[in-house]
Amino acid sequence: MGQPRGLQERLFYEFRLEDWVPSDHLLRKIDAVLDLSSLRHELAPFYSHTGRPSVDPELMLRMLLVGYCYGLRSERRLCDETHLNLAYRWFCRLGLEGAVPDHSTFSKNRHGRFRESALFRRLFEEVVARCMRAGLVGGEGFAIDASVIEADASCGRKIDGKLSTWPETEKLTRPVREYLAALDQTAAVETAKTEDADNDMPPGNPPAPPKVTSLTDPTAAWTNKGQRKVGFAYGVNYLIDLQQAIIVDVEATPARWSAEVAATKTVLERTQGRFGLNPRRLAADAAYGSGLMIGWLMRHGIAPHIPLLDREHQTNGFFTRADFTFDPQANVFTCPGSRPLRSTGLVRDDGTVPYWASTKDCRACVLKPRCTRSSSCFDRVPVIVKTRNHVLAHFALYSDVLEARAGEQGFQPLPVRECE
């Protein structure tokens, strides 16, 4: 039986870090194609020519890549792992004795010069351009979807509704300052709108005011999509080329359906402007299947492979549009209780026209529980008449596309299904 030997350190060691990193290691493959030669030139305007020496920006980016590749979300842990792991040290060009920067350096640079210079966006687009040169991006078929990222915000620090001014008792942190600046920018845009403004937005309904606003991160949306039952979160919208599943663009939004659908236009137009990619088709789930979304894609020559939202049979015990009779000459709907519903002429931002019933007619109607859940005496029973027709109109155009492409080998159209 062997006996434990006392630790007797040698005075000299023959050690070469290059020999201790396996040839098939992931970081070796990344290092072989990673080119950060232009990094310092792009960041030069954001550094001062005076003061103490700064941390090498290439070192910080290489460390961040290590964190992304190995799921190190904590910057403190990233610094500790880089200090201990030989492969990480080799990839970051630290050698055995190189000092690892403090974790606070990452936050200051990420929210400072890295953000001001749009460095991460440039690096991302450079990677996409290299994938295109390598023939990995087809550019004909895209898919879009969103992943939920939970915000670092407590569920207990919230307030009902939307805030336009911040409570004086609350601290103005960086996320709060950015939120208030975005509100001012939005107000300025609304004031400066002209007839030439771009009103060709795809979402089917205007975004509703948030029910809850976080006092820690007010931009985050209150949602039940995350791992927890409810909480504040963001949605990361990925536009993916279907040839080799290469992500060609990404956009972060609050975790709201309307924001995620609106991001579709942003990523498609940006991809076209940056890389000249004009997809012939777009695949998505039913959340993107509103009539206006389908119409926007069709007008831009993109065939939607998206299940259409069909709520005709999603009644939940309530009357549907088919239960109301419309008189086009009188422009009046008749409800199942033989009472008229009239329009005020209002056309909503999403193109729908509401028809309202009289409070007097609804108050004593025995069919009222099947029209509305409200118990108020000011009941309004709306019938939206254009959304369904708008969906069907674009479905007719979509059907023409499907018929034209039916002979293509391997083409499998997505069915129209009911929204669950």
Side-chain angles (χ1 to χ4, degrees), residues 150-165:
E150 294 185 2
D152 187 14
S154 171
C155 296
R157 299 192 71 251
K158 63 181 184 293
I159 192 170
D160 294 337
K162 179 180 180 179
L163 292 178
S164 56
T165 58

Side-chain angles (χ1 to χ4, degrees), residues 69-373:
C69 291
Y70 292 96
L72 302 175
R73 300 179 60 184
S74 168
E75 290 169 351
R76 290 178 183 269
R77 185 185 172 194
L78 174 61
C79 293
D80 293 339
E81 292 292 334
T82 305
H83 177 73
L84 296 173
N85 192 296
L86 294 180
Y88 297 172
R89 280 186 164 273
W90 172 86
F91 181 75
C92 295
R93 306 290 191 266
L94 284 173
L96 285 175
E97 298 179 350
V100 177
D102 188 76
H103 66 88
S104 62
T105 306
F106 291 96
S107 298
K108 293 180 179 179
N109 282 274
R110 186 172 60 251
H111 299 302
R113 55 177 62 95
F114 285 176
R115 188 172 188 177
E116 295 168 0
S117 63
L119 178 64
F120 293 148
R121 167 62 61 177
R122 294 183 187 181
L123 291 177
F124 174 79
E125 292 177 352
E126 175 62 26
V127 173
V128 175
R130 292 193 179 191
C131 291
M132 293 177 62
R133 291 194 292 268
L136 299 177
V137 177
E140 293 188 358
F142 287 167
I144 189 167
D145 203 359
S147 298
V148 177
I149 304 296
E150 294 185 2
D152 187 14
S154 171
C155 296
R157 299 192 71 251
K158 63 181 184 293
I159 192 170
D160 294 337
K162 179 180 180 179
L163 292 178
S164 56
T165 58
W166 205 248
E168 296 182 359
T169 57
E170 296 294 334
K171 183 179 178 181
L172 288 178
T173 59
R174 178 190 55 79
V176 173
R177 291 195 298 270
E178 294 177 354
Y179 170 76
L180 295 177
L183 288 181
D184 294 339
Q185 183 179 5
T186 302
V189 171
E190 292 293 332
T191 304
K193 274 188 176 180
T194 64
E195 294 181 356
D196 296 331
D198 184 7
N199 295 320
D200 194 23
M201 293 296 288
N205 292 298
K211 296 181 179 179
V212 177
T213 301
S214 169
L215 295 175
T216 305
D217 189 355
T219 307
W222 184 254
T223 180
N224 60 355
K225 296 181 178 180
Q227 294 180 355
R228 293 177 290 183
K229 189 173 183 180
V230 290
F232 294 102
Y234 288 90
V236 182
N237 304 272
Y238 298 102
L239 185 65
I240 305 171
D241 183 81
L242 296 178
Q243 178 173 310
Q244 295 289 340
I246 299 296
I247 299 175
V248 295
D249 206 346
V250 62
E251 180 75 8
T253 62
R256 297 188 185 97
W257 172 82
S258 58
E260 294 173 358
V261 177
T264 304
K265 176 184 178 180
T266 301
V267 295
L268 285 174
E269 291 185 343
R270 187 162 54 201
T271 302
Q272 180 183 11
R274 295 287 198 276
F275 309 112
L277 297 177
N278 297 293
R280 295 176 53 192
R281 54 190 180 273
L282 178 72
D285 57 30
Y288 298 80
S290 65
L292 290 181
M293 180 75 234
I294 299 298
W296 185 86
L297 292 172
M298 297 294 295
R299 289 194 301 273
H300 288 76
I302 303 174
H305 291 238
I306 304 173
L308 294 175
L309 286 173
D310 187 356
R311 291 190 170 95
E312 181 179 5
H313 303 290
Q314 187 183 356
T315 64
N316 295 326
F318 288 84
F319 291 124
T320 67
R321 162 68 179 81
D323 296 317
F324 293 76
T325 305
F326 181 62
D327 184 353
Q329 295 183 351
N331 193 24
V332 172
F333 272 89
T334 302
C335 73
S338 301
R339 298 296 182 178
L341 288 83
R342 295 181 172 86
S343 170
T344 62
L346 170 68
V347 180
R348 292 176 174 173
D349 294 338
D350 60 348
T352 60
V353 179
Y355 284 71
W356 306 102
S358 168
T359 303
K360 179 180 178 181
D361 293 338
C362 285
R363 184 181 291 117
C365 182
V366 295
L367 298 177
K368 174 183 171 182
R370 298 188 62 188
C371 286
T372 177
R373 293 187 177 93

Side-chain angles (χ1 to χ4, degrees), residues 378-415:
F378 298 101
D379 293 324
R380 298 179 299 175
V381 183
V383 176
I384 308 301
V385 302
K386 282 195 174 181
T387 299
R388 174 70 179 166
N389 295 335
H390 194 74
V391 172
L392 293 178
H394 289 297
F395 178 63
L397 296 174
Y398 185 39
S399 299
D400 294 340
V401 174
L402 297 182
E403 183 178 354
R405 300 193 58 208
E408 295 186 15
Q409 184 177 3
F411 176 69
Q412 294 290 337
L414 295 177

